[in-house]
Amino acid sequence: MIRQYLKKMQGTTISPPGVNRTEILCSWIGGFLGIATVGYINEKLCNGTGMIMLIGSFGASAVLLYGAVKSPLAQPRNLMGGHILSALIGVTSYQLFSSHIWFAAAAAVATAIALMHITKTLHPPGGATALIAVIGGDQIHSLVYIYVLVPVGIGAFVMLIIALLVNNIPRSRRYPEFWF
Amino acid sequence: MDKKDFPMNKLSGPKTEPLNITISDEDIYQAMQEISGYLDITPGDFKEIYSHAYKHAVEKIARSITAQHIMNNEVISVRRNTPLLDVARIMAEAGVSGVPVIDTAENLAGVISEKDFLYCIAGRNTQSFLSIILQFIENKPGIVQALEGKKAEDIMTAPAITVAETASVIDVIKTLKKHAINRVPVVDQNGHLRGIITRANLLRVPAGLEAD
């Protein structure tokens, strides 16, 4: 039995092929424009308002949205649903368990994964969005449930718009594969 | 009389795809449900990968089957100097419509088919078998005269179109199609006759491998 267990760790198949240069360039341009737009809004509109637009999990979303365009994880349903649900879970978890940050963090991420699975909105950056709600510091904590809308909801939406605009320019790309 | 006065039978059936991959998004969706755990791929992408993989697999199988596997090993052949009447007799007895011609070193020299006989009897411009029959009726001794005294090498098609023993089934099919021939001799690397492949031999190829 232990042998079978260890055998599973060997892996079973070969790693998939890499992408071509066009794909790499498209990914770079998409990632740059996506983060640039959210970052620009963050700098020009949020400065001094106590609001924030750019959070770490958007970097992860950019990988999927502009680098793995065809992945189900990168589709609009997953992007928007994953971020918004995870933000809700993250804020709630902090509200309930703020005395034990380690527990609040773990509960937020784990519950976010489960809820994303249940709702078919799995989006890995959602885990980061949930975690940031717990460990993001005073500025994030003070937002409470506004966090779900700004930065998370609006930021993800801006990234979606950029993905729709940019990913459909190259002949070799299309986005999305499905909406809901 | 107008053409439409004849009853016309429509003989052409529905057009079939050579590689008919009838796998639907629903089939894949169901299959994905049978695998526990999250799969980072859409049914649409999987279908695309599947159709490519299927094509590669079929090609691989087709390449692994070579001329050697499907050829007839026992070939009825004639020599360069075999008299034409003997050639005709050999072909008639064996019930074949063509035979390879080999030289003294056992190398393939050419091929004789019924067509070569027709050309010999009635000339290159022969339109049909019927025209030869007419010629025959009109000028009885002509047909024998035309064949008499001639040898296989006089009317054979040379050099013959051949395939190597190692040629894949796909290449064999392509050769038959390209030259519009019904049989092709199989030779080894030294040019020795090793076998013959007729269109009927291709029926031994597993279904689905008929390359276009």
Side-chain angles (χ1 to χ4, degrees):
Chain A
M1 201 147 90
I2 194 94
R3 203 172 187 183
Q4 247 179 352
Y5 172 71
L6 291 173
K7 215 176 164 199
K8 285 186 184 178
M9 297 184 194
Q10 288 179 335
T12 56
T13 185
I14 51 173
S15 80
V19 297
N20 59 33
R21 272 180 224 165
T22 319
E23 193 67 13
I24 294 168
L25 185 69
C26 292
S27 301
W28 190 92
I29 293 169
F32 184 86
L33 291 176
I35 297 297
T37 311
V38 181
Y40 188 80
I41 295 171
N42 182 58
E43 201 170 303
K44 295 296 166 188
L45 299 183
C46 302
N47 233 346
T49 61
M51 295 300 254
I52 180 171
M53 273 295 278
L54 196 58
I55 53 171
S57 53
F58 291 161
S61 284
V63 175
L64 286 166
L65 252 57
Y66 313 112
V69 181
K70 282 166 163 276
S71 167
L73 303 173
Q75 303 312 307
R77 177 195 175 99
N78 299 66
L79 170 75
M80 296 309 297
H83 272 301
I84 288 169
L85 293 172
S86 300
L88 274 168
I89 297 292
V91 174
T92 306
S93 184
Y94 181 73
Q95 297 298 316
L96 293 174
F97 311 116
S98 58
S99 50
H100 302 285
I101 291 298
W102 68 267
F103 183 83
V109 173
T111 313
I113 296 170
L115 189 62
M116 286 192 285
H117 260 323
I118 291 165
T119 55
K120 281 177 53 178
T121 58
L122 197 67
H123 184 63
T129 294
L131 188 59
I132 289 164
V134 178
I135 62 165
D138 293 339
Q139 196 185 5
I140 296 287
H141 294 153
S142 64
L143 295 172
V144 198
Y145 283 101
I146 292 172
Y147 173 74
V148 180
L149 197 63
V150 189
V152 175
I154 306 252
F157 185 71
V158 171
M159 302 256 295
L160 173 61
I161 299 296
I162 299 295
L164 287 169
L165 295 176
V166 174
N167 286 344
N168 287 311
I169 295 172
R171 205 183 298 175
S172 57
R173 274 193 179 195
R174 56 158 197 258
Y175 183 82
E177 293 293 309
F178 58 88
W179 273 96
F180 301 109
Chain B
M1 203 191 281
D2 211 14
K3 240 186 187 174
K4 64 185 173 217
D5 292 336
F6 292 101
M8 296 277 280
N9 285 326
K10 205 180 172 197
L11 290 175
S12 57
K15 228 181 164 186
T16 49
E17 299 271 321
L19 293 176
N20 203 5
I21 304 161
T22 48
I23 186 166
S24 69
D25 281 14
E26 286 73 38
D27 294 331
I28 296 160
Y29 188 87
Q30 274 180 6
M32 287 171 82
Q33 277 183 321
E34 281 159 30
I35 295 167
S36 63
Y38 189 82
L39 294 174
D40 188 13
I41 188 166
T42 60
D45 277 349
F46 179 82
K47 197 165 85 175
E48 213 180 317
I49 292 170
Y50 176 84
S51 70
H52 285 298
Y54 187 86
K55 229 181 283 169
H56 286 307
V58 167
E59 262 174 39
K60 198 169 67 187
I61 295 165
R63 295 210 182 288
S64 70
I65 302 173
T66 61
Q68 224 172 354
H69 294 118
I70 58 165
M71 70 185 185
N72 288 326
N73 291 312
E74 280 162 32
V75 198
I76 295 150
S77 60
V78 296
R79 300 271 172 189
R80 269 177 177 276
N81 58 4
T82 308
L84 273 191
L85 285 172
D86 287 348
V87 174
R89 204 167 292 127
I90 288 165
M91 283 170 65
E93 271 168 22
V96 294
S97 56
V99 283
V101 182
I102 50 177
D103 63 18
T104 42
E106 304 293 320
N107 285 329
L108 183 71
V111 170
I112 291 185
S113 69
E114 285 175 345
K115 215 184 258 174
D116 293 315
F117 275 95
L118 296 188
Y119 288 157
C120 174
I121 294 161
R124 282 259 151 199
N125 298 322
T126 305
Q127 293 300 312
S128 66
F129 180 64
L130 210 57
S131 67
I132 291 164
I133 299 205
L134 284 173
Q135 230 174 311
F136 181 62
I137 293 166
E138 286 160 7
N139 172 25
K140 210 171 177 180
I143 190 165
V144 186
Q145 271 170 12
L147 298 179
E148 226 164 16
K150 283 192 176 150
K151 297 185 176 113
E153 63 182 348
D154 297 330
I155 68 160
M156 69 181 183
T157 302
I161 295 146
T162 61
V163 291
E165 280 180 301
T166 51
S168 73
V169 164
I170 289 182
D171 291 334
V172 173
I173 293 170
K174 277 184 184 159
T175 305
L176 290 176
K177 274 189 178 170
K178 188 181 161 197
H179 301 284
I181 49 179
N182 296 314
R183 80 195 65 75
V184 61
V186 181
V187 291
D188 63 16
Q189 50 195 4
N190 300 319
H192 292 309
L193 180 67
R194 301 305 301 260
I196 194 158
I197 295 174
T198 66
R199 288 187 179 238
N201 290 125
L202 293 172
L203 294 175
R204 292 184 197 167
V205 179
L209 294 183
E210 305 90 348
D212 41 2

mmCIF file of all heavy atoms in Angstrom, chain B residues 13 15 38 59 69 77 85-86 88 90 106 125 128 131 138-139 143 146 171 176 194 198 201 204 206:
data_model
loop_
_atom_site.group_PDB
_atom_site.id
_atom_site.type_symbol
_atom_site.label_atom_id
_atom_site.label_comp_id
_atom_site.label_asym_id
_atom_site.label_seq_id
_atom_site.Cartn_x
_atom_site.Cartn_y
_atom_site.Cartn_z
ATOM 1 N N GLY B 13 -23.517 7.972 -53.501
ATOM 2 C CA GLY B 13 -24.075 7.942 -52.149
ATOM 3 C C GLY B 13 -23.668 9.183 -51.382
ATOM 4 O O GLY B 13 -23.090 10.105 -51.948
ATOM 5 N N LYS B 15 -21.544 11.576 -49.215
ATOM 6 C CA LYS B 15 -20.094 11.750 -49.139
ATOM 7 C C LYS B 15 -19.628 11.463 -47.715
ATOM 8 O O LYS B 15 -20.159 12.006 -46.758
ATOM 9 C CB LYS B 15 -19.735 13.181 -49.512
ATOM 10 C CG LYS B 15 -18.603 13.225 -50.516
ATOM 11 C CD LYS B 15 -18.236 14.639 -50.855
ATOM 12 C CE LYS B 15 -16.873 14.659 -51.524
ATOM 13 N NZ LYS B 15 -16.445 16.024 -51.731
ATOM 14 N N TYR B 38 -10.136 18.472 -10.686
ATOM 15 C CA TYR B 38 -10.338 19.571 -11.624
ATOM 16 C C TYR B 38 -9.456 19.408 -12.851
ATOM 17 O O TYR B 38 -8.266 19.122 -12.734
ATOM 18 C CB TYR B 38 -10.010 20.899 -10.933
ATOM 19 C CG TYR B 38 -10.391 22.090 -11.767
ATOM 20 C CD1 TYR B 38 -11.702 22.550 -11.779
ATOM 21 C CD2 TYR B 38 -9.448 22.732 -12.544
ATOM 22 C CE1 TYR B 38 -12.060 23.624 -12.552
ATOM 23 C CE2 TYR B 38 -9.802 23.816 -13.328
ATOM 24 C CZ TYR B 38 -11.113 24.261 -13.325
ATOM 25 O OH TYR B 38 -11.458 25.319 -14.094
ATOM 26 N N GLU B 59 -1.779 8.025 -38.577
ATOM 27 C CA GLU B 59 -0.605 8.135 -39.440
ATOM 28 C C GLU B 59 0.504 7.202 -38.993
ATOM 29 O O GLU B 59 1.161 6.562 -39.810
ATOM 30 C CB GLU B 59 -0.084 9.577 -39.424
ATOM 31 C CG GLU B 59 -0.573 10.370 -40.608
ATOM 32 C CD GLU B 59 -0.162 11.831 -40.502
ATOM 33 O OE1 GLU B 59 0.970 12.096 -40.045
ATOM 34 O OE2 GLU B 59 -0.986 12.673 -40.832
ATOM 35 N N HIS B 69 4.209 -6.037 -45.739
ATOM 36 C CA HIS B 69 3.151 -6.680 -44.971
ATOM 37 C C HIS B 69 1.940 -7.077 -45.811
ATOM 38 O O HIS B 69 1.235 -8.015 -45.466
ATOM 39 C CB HIS B 69 2.678 -5.759 -43.841
ATOM 40 C CG HIS B 69 3.713 -5.517 -42.796
ATOM 41 N ND1 HIS B 69 4.207 -4.270 -42.524
ATOM 42 C CD2 HIS B 69 4.363 -6.377 -41.980
ATOM 43 C CE1 HIS B 69 5.112 -4.361 -41.560
ATOM 44 N NE2 HIS B 69 5.227 -5.630 -41.219
ATOM 45 N N SER B 77 5.625 -14.168 -62.847
ATOM 46 C CA SER B 77 6.363 -13.221 -63.685
ATOM 47 C C SER B 77 6.810 -13.901 -64.969
ATOM 48 O O SER B 77 6.773 -15.128 -65.086
ATOM 49 C CB SER B 77 7.586 -12.691 -62.925
ATOM 50 O OG SER B 77 8.429 -13.755 -62.583
ATOM 51 N N LEU B 85 2.774 -14.722 -76.934
ATOM 52 C CA LEU B 85 1.654 -15.659 -76.845
ATOM 53 C C LEU B 85 1.722 -16.462 -75.548
ATOM 54 O O LEU B 85 0.708 -16.750 -74.924
ATOM 55 C CB LEU B 85 1.636 -16.593 -78.066
ATOM 56 C CG LEU B 85 1.133 -15.920 -79.342
ATOM 57 C CD1 LEU B 85 1.318 -16.839 -80.556
ATOM 58 C CD2 LEU B 85 -0.326 -15.501 -79.201
ATOM 59 N N ASP B 86 2.957 -16.783 -75.123
ATOM 60 C CA ASP B 86 3.127 -17.473 -73.841
ATOM 61 C C ASP B 86 2.739 -16.553 -72.688
ATOM 62 O O ASP B 86 2.126 -16.992 -71.716
ATOM 63 C CB ASP B 86 4.577 -17.932 -73.662
ATOM 64 C CG ASP B 86 4.901 -19.121 -74.558
ATOM 65 O OD1 ASP B 86 3.931 -19.691 -75.116
ATOM 66 O OD2 ASP B 86 6.088 -19.452 -74.705
ATOM 67 N N ALA B 88 0.578 -14.219 -72.790
ATOM 68 C CA ALA B 88 -0.887 -14.151 -72.780
ATOM 69 C C ALA B 88 -1.465 -15.398 -72.126
ATOM 70 O O ALA B 88 -2.387 -15.320 -71.308
ATOM 71 C CB ALA B 88 -1.407 -14.005 -74.206
ATOM 72 N N ILE B 90 0.020 -17.400 -69.939
ATOM 73 C CA ILE B 90 0.332 -17.380 -68.505
ATOM 74 C C ILE B 90 -0.645 -16.474 -67.753
ATOM 75 O O ILE B 90 -1.187 -16.834 -66.709
ATOM 76 C CB ILE B 90 1.794 -16.903 -68.275
ATOM 77 C CG1 ILE B 90 2.778 -17.998 -68.726
ATOM 78 C CG2 ILE B 90 2.034 -16.535 -66.806
ATOM 79 C CD1 ILE B 90 4.211 -17.506 -68.878
ATOM 80 N N GLU B 106 17.400 -11.548 -62.470
ATOM 81 C CA GLU B 106 16.248 -11.526 -61.561
ATOM 82 C C GLU B 106 15.821 -10.102 -61.189
ATOM 83 O O GLU B 106 15.102 -9.892 -60.230
ATOM 84 C CB GLU B 106 16.519 -12.330 -60.273
ATOM 85 C CG GLU B 106 16.925 -13.779 -60.501
ATOM 86 C CD GLU B 106 15.806 -14.629 -61.097
ATOM 87 O OE1 GLU B 106 14.641 -14.458 -60.689
ATOM 88 O OE2 GLU B 106 16.090 -15.435 -62.002
ATOM 89 N N ASN B 125 -3.608 4.408 -80.111
ATOM 90 C CA ASN B 125 -4.778 5.279 -80.090
ATOM 91 C C ASN B 125 -6.088 4.546 -79.834
ATOM 92 O O ASN B 125 -7.159 5.110 -79.956
ATOM 93 C CB ASN B 125 -4.874 6.066 -81.395
ATOM 94 C CG ASN B 125 -3.658 6.954 -81.566
ATOM 95 O OD1 ASN B 125 -3.169 7.526 -80.585
ATOM 96 N ND2 ASN B 125 -3.162 7.039 -82.786
ATOM 97 N N SER B 128 -11.231 1.755 -77.279
ATOM 98 C CA SER B 128 -11.933 0.818 -76.406
ATOM 99 C C SER B 128 -11.703 -0.613 -76.848
ATOM 100 O O SER B 128 -11.182 -0.877 -77.931
ATOM 101 C CB SER B 128 -13.431 1.105 -76.427
ATOM 102 O OG SER B 128 -13.933 0.820 -77.717
ATOM 103 N N SER B 131 -13.506 -1.516 -80.080
ATOM 104 C CA SER B 131 -12.889 -1.164 -81.362
ATOM 105 C C SER B 131 -11.906 -2.241 -81.804
ATOM 106 O O SER B 131 -11.706 -2.481 -82.994
ATOM 107 C CB SER B 131 -12.185 0.188 -81.248
ATOM 108 O OG SER B 131 -11.087 0.086 -80.382
ATOM 109 N N GLU B 138 -13.045 -7.536 -88.723
ATOM 110 C CA GLU B 138 -12.773 -7.053 -90.073
ATOM 111 C C GLU B 138 -11.511 -7.657 -90.674
ATOM 112 O O GLU B 138 -11.389 -7.866 -91.866
ATOM 113 C CB GLU B 138 -12.653 -5.524 -90.069
ATOM 114 C CG GLU B 138 -14.010 -4.848 -89.907
ATOM 115 C CD GLU B 138 -13.865 -3.407 -89.430
ATOM 116 O OE1 GLU B 138 -12.725 -2.917 -89.362
ATOM 117 O OE2 GLU B 138 -14.887 -2.810 -89.093
ATOM 118 N N ASN B 139 -10.521 -7.921 -89.810
ATOM 119 C CA ASN B 139 -9.221 -8.359 -90.302
ATOM 120 C C ASN B 139 -8.681 -9.453 -89.407
ATOM 121 O O ASN B 139 -7.823 -9.237 -88.576
ATOM 122 C CB ASN B 139 -8.289 -7.130 -90.352
ATOM 123 C CG ASN B 139 -6.857 -7.517 -90.661
ATOM 124 O OD1 ASN B 139 -6.605 -8.554 -91.274
ATOM 125 N ND2 ASN B 139 -5.932 -6.690 -90.233
ATOM 126 N N ILE B 143 -4.636 -9.844 -85.683
ATOM 127 C CA ILE B 143 -4.367 -9.915 -84.246
ATOM 128 C C ILE B 143 -3.242 -10.879 -83.929
ATOM 129 O O ILE B 143 -2.386 -10.625 -83.082
ATOM 130 C CB ILE B 143 -5.661 -10.295 -83.482
ATOM 131 C CG1 ILE B 143 -5.440 -10.115 -81.983
ATOM 132 C CG2 ILE B 143 -6.117 -11.699 -83.789
ATOM 133 C CD1 ILE B 143 -6.726 -10.104 -81.208
ATOM 134 N N ALA B 146 0.106 -9.477 -85.137
ATOM 135 C CA ALA B 146 0.620 -8.429 -84.271
ATOM 136 C C ALA B 146 1.414 -9.003 -83.104
ATOM 137 O O ALA B 146 2.373 -8.394 -82.633
ATOM 138 C CB ALA B 146 -0.528 -7.575 -83.753
ATOM 139 N N ASP B 171 2.211 5.413 -48.848
ATOM 140 C CA ASP B 171 2.977 5.659 -50.067
ATOM 141 C C ASP B 171 2.518 4.748 -51.200
ATOM 142 O O ASP B 171 2.484 5.161 -52.365
ATOM 143 C CB ASP B 171 4.472 5.455 -49.801
ATOM 144 C CG ASP B 171 5.022 6.536 -48.881
ATOM 145 O OD1 ASP B 171 4.437 7.630 -48.869
ATOM 146 O OD2 ASP B 171 6.023 6.271 -48.186
ATOM 147 N N LEU B 176 -0.283 4.210 -56.411
ATOM 148 C CA LEU B 176 -1.344 3.648 -57.263
ATOM 149 C C LEU B 176 -2.233 4.751 -57.809
ATOM 150 O O LEU B 176 -2.624 4.745 -58.977
ATOM 151 C CB LEU B 176 -2.183 2.639 -56.469
ATOM 152 C CG LEU B 176 -1.488 1.322 -56.094
ATOM 153 C CD1 LEU B 176 -2.402 0.473 -55.235
ATOM 154 C CD2 LEU B 176 -1.072 0.555 -57.330
ATOM 155 N N ARG B 194 10.306 -8.628 -55.336
ATOM 156 C CA ARG B 194 10.014 -9.354 -54.096
ATOM 157 C C ARG B 194 8.540 -9.722 -53.956
ATOM 158 O O ARG B 194 8.184 -10.632 -53.236
ATOM 159 C CB ARG B 194 10.424 -8.535 -52.878
ATOM 160 C CG ARG B 194 11.902 -8.168 -52.839
ATOM 161 C CD ARG B 194 12.786 -9.413 -52.950
ATOM 162 N NE ARG B 194 12.541 -10.360 -51.899
ATOM 163 C CZ ARG B 194 13.297 -10.474 -50.827
ATOM 164 N NH1 ARG B 194 14.350 -9.691 -50.678
ATOM 165 N NH2 ARG B 194 13.005 -11.357 -49.909
ATOM 166 N N THR B 198 -1.626 -5.468 -55.422
ATOM 167 C CA THR B 198 -2.740 -5.042 -56.259
ATOM 168 C C THR B 198 -3.681 -4.240 -55.376
ATOM 169 O O THR B 198 -3.544 -4.223 -54.160
ATOM 170 C CB THR B 198 -3.504 -6.253 -56.837
ATOM 171 O OG1 THR B 198 -4.116 -6.937 -55.742
ATOM 172 C CG2 THR B 198 -2.576 -7.180 -57.580
ATOM 173 N N ASN B 201 -5.102 -6.068 -52.531
ATOM 174 C CA ASN B 201 -4.266 -6.254 -51.335
ATOM 175 C C ASN B 201 -4.522 -5.169 -50.301
ATOM 176 O O ASN B 201 -4.348 -5.383 -49.108
ATOM 177 C CB ASN B 201 -2.780 -6.223 -51.700
ATOM 178 C CG ASN B 201 -2.352 -7.445 -52.476
ATOM 179 O OD1 ASN B 201 -1.808 -7.347 -53.554
ATOM 180 N ND2 ASN B 201 -2.621 -8.613 -51.915
ATOM 181 N N ARG B 204 -6.513 -5.500 -47.158
ATOM 182 C CA ARG B 204 -5.955 -6.075 -45.930
ATOM 183 C C ARG B 204 -5.603 -4.986 -44.918
ATOM 184 O O ARG B 204 -5.353 -5.265 -43.761
ATOM 185 C CB ARG B 204 -4.680 -6.845 -46.240
ATOM 186 C CG ARG B 204 -4.925 -8.092 -47.060
ATOM 187 C CD ARG B 204 -3.603 -8.822 -47.207
ATOM 188 N NE ARG B 204 -3.676 -9.793 -48.283
ATOM 189 C CZ ARG B 204 -2.613 -10.378 -48.797
ATOM 190 N NH1 ARG B 204 -1.415 -10.079 -48.348
ATOM 191 N NH2 ARG B 204 -2.747 -11.248 -49.759
ATOM 192 N N PRO B 206 -6.158 -2.249 -42.271
ATOM 193 C CA PRO B 206 -7.270 -1.981 -41.361
ATOM 194 C C PRO B 206 -8.075 -0.754 -41.793
ATOM 195 O O PRO B 206 -7.516 0.204 -42.311
ATOM 196 C CB PRO B 206 -6.558 -1.699 -40.023
ATOM 197 C CG PRO B 206 -5.230 -2.336 -40.149
ATOM 198 C CD PRO B 206 -4.871 -2.309 -41.594
#
